[in-house]
Amino acid sequence: MAELSVIAHPYAQALFNLAKQSNQESIWLDRLSDLQQIVDNSDFADLLNNPEIKDSQIISVVNTLLNGDASTEVTNLLSILIENNRVSALPEIYQVFRDLVLEDQKRGDAIIESAYAMSQTEKQDFEELLSKKFGKKITATVVINPELLAGIKVTINDKVIDGSVKGRLSDLSTQLTK
């Protein structure tokens, strides 16, 4: 949802700046990951939408779910998000924050879709190739997708490199129908 992305960016950027100043990027990544999992839970959504539950009670529940490990900053973030009805943006805030951290550390994630299983050596070769191409350390996840027929499809953020037979057939079909 584009709207959540627009809402999430200022929060994620502010959190990133805070985390970067105190060298706590990994701590915030973990905490935001925990928070997004809590928010994605349907029981929490019911709690959040219950008009009889006070904001302080919601924060208390989250703190309990975090094993009492919510820092003042986390509590402040939750207070702001709850007060502004923005809690549903937490998963997107996490994703934007994660992207900012990866970019800052010159790292990236790739999804390699392959029609067939890929050996560890082949995966590492692709990671090295992609790392050189994009100028950052790429960590790949391989997903088997038999619909590709043969070849691979690589997705890094919003970039897609489609070297699959299915992609080539689609391109050919498009050219023939012009």
Side-chain angles (χ1 to χ4, degrees), residues 15-28 97 101 104-105:
L15 288 172
F16 176 74
N17 293 341
L18 175 71
K20 183 92 172 135
Q21 286 175 357
S22 56
N23 200 24
Q24 294 185 332
E25 294 98 322
S26 62
I27 293 170
W28 272 101
F97 181 86
V101 169
D104 185 61
Q105 296 174 350

Side-chain angles (χ1 to χ4, degrees), residues 27 30-31 34 62-72 74-75:
I27 293 170
D30 291 342
R31 199 48 72 217
D34 293 342
V62 171
N63 193 24
T64 301
L65 292 171
L66 294 174
N67 298 322
D69 197 24
S71 66
T72 305
V74 170
T75 303

Side-chain angles (χ1 to χ4, degrees), residues 47-175:
L47 178 76
L48 197 59
N49 294 324
N50 186 336
E52 295 178 16
I53 304 293
K54 297 178 185 170
D55 294 352
S56 60
Q57 291 172 308
I58 294 170
I59 292 170
S60 178
V61 167
V62 171
N63 193 24
T64 301
L65 292 171
L66 294 174
N67 298 322
D69 197 24
S71 66
T72 305
E73 290 89 358
V74 170
T75 303
N76 289 344
L77 172 65
L78 280 172
S79 296
I80 291 169
L81 293 175
I82 291 168
E83 182 179 311
N84 293 303
N85 295 320
R86 303 277 199 239
V87 176
S88 61
L90 257 169
E92 189 70 25
I93 292 170
Y94 166 74
Q95 193 57 53
V96 172
F97 181 86
R98 186 175 182 280
D99 291 345
L100 289 168
V101 169
L102 289 175
E103 190 64 35
D104 185 61
Q105 296 174 350
K106 299 208 181 305
R107 296 184 313 148
D109 290 331
I111 297 172
I112 300 175
E113 292 180 63
S114 174
Y116 303 100
M118 190 178 282
S119 73
Q120 188 63 30
T121 304
E122 290 171 323
K123 178 185 169 213
Q124 289 173 341
D125 290 345
F126 274 110
E127 286 176 335
E128 287 177 28
L129 180 70
L130 292 169
S131 294
K132 287 178 186 171
K133 179 172 177 55
F134 288 96
K136 55 186 169 185
K137 174 75 172 120
I138 300 292
T139 305
T141 302
V142 177
V143 176
I144 297 174
N145 182 353
E147 292 181 9
L148 296 179
L149 304 177
I152 64 167
K153 180 178 176 181
V154 179
T155 306
I156 300 176
N157 294 335
D158 59 348
K159 293 177 179 55
V160 177
I161 303 167
D162 193 346
S164 69
V165 171
K166 181 180 179 183
R168 290 182 183 164
L169 288 173
S170 178
D171 289 345
L172 182 61
S173 172
T174 302
Q175 290 177 3

Side-chain angles (χ1 to χ4, degrees), residues 33-45 48 62 65 78 81 86-91:
S33 175
D34 293 342
L35 289 171
Q36 79 148 356
Q37 289 175 21
I38 291 169
V39 169
D40 283 341
N41 183 299
S42 61
D43 292 334
F44 183 77
L48 197 59
V62 171
L65 292 171
L78 280 172
L81 293 175
R86 303 277 199 239
V87 176
S88 61
L90 257 169

